[in-house]
Amino acid sequence: MFRFLAHLKRQISTTNYKRHRAALKSLVAQFATSSLCLTPPFLYAVVIMSSLDHAQVIVQCLLAIFSLHSSVNALVLVATTPPYRNTIFRKRPQNLIIVPVSISQGL
């Protein structure tokens, strides 16, 4: 995908290229996070099928870790998506244009 994006670099504007690249990085990070979150259920199955000492404690820890996957995915989304990251750190867009609007109720 990054190679394909590099070929598009000549055809699209610099701003769009940066946006596409940031979106692609965000998607890759989210995919990696989702893949890592599949590890606890896999280990859960391994622990259940084998007869380990303290299996119940291990399973409880794995379930606690697995329950964090949505929070971890949200943090990765915020950390890897520039508009969300800028909102969290209170960075305002530089090219923001504010237009005053008047609303009147005419009868």
Side-chain angles (χ1 to χ4, degrees):
M1 289 299 293
F2 284 107
R3 283 189 219 138
F4 179 72
L5 190 60
H7 290 295
L8 284 179
K9 187 175 183 177
R10 298 178 203 130
Q11 298 173 1
I12 60 177
S13 68
T14 305
T15 305
N16 280 336
Y17 175 75
K18 288 179 183 177
R19 286 181 184 165
H20 281 65
R21 186 165 175 82
L24 190 56
K25 283 182 181 180
S26 178
L27 287 173
V28 168
Q30 290 174 45
F31 178 74
T33 303
S34 297
S35 299
L36 288 175
C37 287
L38 291 176
T39 304
F42 175 74
L43 292 176
Y44 173 79
V46 170
V47 169
I48 294 298
M49 289 199 275
S50 63
S51 57
L52 295 174
D53 294 334
H54 307 291
Q56 185 173 359
V57 174
I58 295 170
V59 168
Q60 287 175 348
C61 291
L62 288 172
L63 289 175
I65 292 169
F66 181 67
S67 68
L68 295 174
H69 87 277
S70 61
S71 300
V72 172
N73 276 337
L75 289 173
V76 168
L77 175 70
V78 169
T80 59
T81 307
Y84 296 144
R85 186 174 57 233
N86 293 341
T87 300
I88 296 296
F89 294 120
R90 304 278 189 238
K91 292 182 183 176
R92 296 181 190 255
Q94 294 177 359
N95 57 355
L96 183 67
I97 299 172
I98 299 174
V99 179
V101 176
S102 175
I103 300 174
S104 61
Q105 294 178 350
L107 295 175

